[in-house]
């Protein structure tokens, strides 16, 4: 279901962790989605040189090419981990630049 949700809204499949997921939910009327996973996950996005941390519960509001009011995702900036509140993907994605956080 998580993969289908990302595909429907034009989001790259690698933008959210899809490892050891125990629950995925989506409320069509509001766009609210949530993902529950067994453990926190850290992923390094090499194209943008960013380390991203995904908590055990990730939630936000999804719409075409965007996730807003996102909770449970942080990116490492120097010595601290600010939250990622929104993910926006180019429409259509540019060929010279990968989608970024």
């Amino acid at each position: 279901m998580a993969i289908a949700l990302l595909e429907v809204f034009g989001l790259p499949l690698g933008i959210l962790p899809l490892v050891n997921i125990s629950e995925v939910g989506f409320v069509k009327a509001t766009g609210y989605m949530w993902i529950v996973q067994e453990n926190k996950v850290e992923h390094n996005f090499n194209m943008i040189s960013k380390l991203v941390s995904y908590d055990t519960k990730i939630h936000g509001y999804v719409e075409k090419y965007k996730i807003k009011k996102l909770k449970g995702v942080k990116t490492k900036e120097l010595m601290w981990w600010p939250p990622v509140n929104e993910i926006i993907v180019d429409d259509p994605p540019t060929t010279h630049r990968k989608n970024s956080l």
Side-chain angles (χ1 to χ4, degrees):
M1 182 178 172
I3 292 171
L5 185 65
L6 293 174
E7 286 178 338
V8 165
F9 289 97
L11 298 166
L13 299 183
I15 203 86
L16 295 175
L18 299 175
V19 179
N20 296 323
I21 292 178
S22 58
E23 182 180 335
V24 175
F26 177 65
V27 179
K28 189 174 184 178
T30 62
Y32 181 74
M33 68 92 189
W34 67 93
I35 297 173
V36 179
Q37 57 186 359
E38 294 177 19
N39 301 306
K40 290 182 179 183
V41 174
E42 287 186 0
H43 178 75
N44 188 28
F45 287 91
N46 293 325
M47 291 295 293
I48 59 171
S49 301
K50 293 289 180 189
L51 182 61
V52 179
S53 174
Y54 300 93
D55 207 345
T56 55
K57 183 172 182 188
I58 301 161
H59 57 100
Y61 293 86
V62 65
E63 55 189 58
K64 198 70 170 173
Y65 308 116
K66 181 189 289 187
I67 303 174
K68 59 185 180 178
K69 297 184 181 179
L70 186 61
K71 303 290 183 198
V73 180
K74 299 176 185 176
T75 184
K76 188 166 187 181
E77 297 288 337
L78 299 175
M79 302 291 282
W80 58 291
W81 289 85
V84 175
N85 298 315
E86 189 171 76
I87 298 172
I88 300 172
V89 177
D90 293 340
D91 170 30
T94 58
T95 56
H96 67 278
R97 182 173 66 105
K98 295 288 185 184
N99 301 321
S100 61
L101 297 175

